[in-house]
Amino acid sequence: MFILLDSLKKWRTALVHEEARHRLLASQCGDQHFAELEKLRAENAGRLLQIDQNFSQMEDLSEKIMDKEAEFSHLETQFKELEVQLEAARKEVASQRVFSTSRPC
């Protein structure tokens, strides 16, 4: 997921740089490059919107994953506490068995 986020960032940066390059050419060379810039801007607008939506979805997914990791960590801690309680109960039962078998009736 983080690799995908990184590639989306790189792609978005490349689109912005391409638009900046065309803007520079338009300012230097005139109407032909200005028309190309407008065409590129129209094409990139949809792509940039899709990238932004993908970022938003990835951030939401990342937040959900972090929430689940926190929940898992909490459950893991509870499980360890239960293991400690179970071991203490086993020791208590074992000591009571020893005590009850060592006393004469």
Side-chain angles (χ1 to χ4, degrees):
M1 179 175 69
F2 294 110
I3 293 171
L4 182 59
L5 276 174
D6 189 48
S7 65
L8 288 173
K9 285 179 186 177
K10 288 178 182 176
W11 194 52
R12 187 174 199 285
T13 301
L15 289 175
V16 170
H17 285 291
E18 182 67 14
E19 188 174 314
R21 186 179 72 81
H22 278 277
R23 196 176 314 114
L24 178 65
L25 287 173
S27 69
Q28 292 174 351
C29 300
D31 291 341
Q32 178 187 3
H33 284 286
F34 184 75
E36 287 181 27
L37 174 62
E38 290 303 314
K39 181 182 174 188
L40 180 67
R41 210 178 257 159
E43 290 172 359
N44 287 347
R47 292 177 183 159
L48 290 173
L49 180 62
Q50 183 64 38
I51 289 172
D52 288 341
Q53 290 172 347
N54 287 345
F55 273 130
S56 179
Q57 290 172 353
M58 290 299 214
E59 287 173 344
D60 291 345
L61 183 58
S62 177
E63 188 175 315
K64 287 178 184 178
I65 288 172
M66 290 185 338
D67 289 345
K68 290 296 179 184
E69 285 176 343
E71 184 181 331
F72 178 78
S73 178
H74 178 71
L75 290 173
E76 191 174 41
T77 300
Q78 286 180 327
F79 179 75
K80 288 177 182 177
E81 289 172 357
L82 288 173
E83 281 183 323
V84 168
Q85 291 174 4
L86 179 62
E87 186 60 34
R90 284 181 181 156
K91 288 179 182 179
E92 186 178 331
V93 167
S95 68
Q96 287 177 357
R97 284 184 185 161
V98 169
F99 181 73
S100 66
T101 58
S102 64
R103 286 185 16 187
C105 295

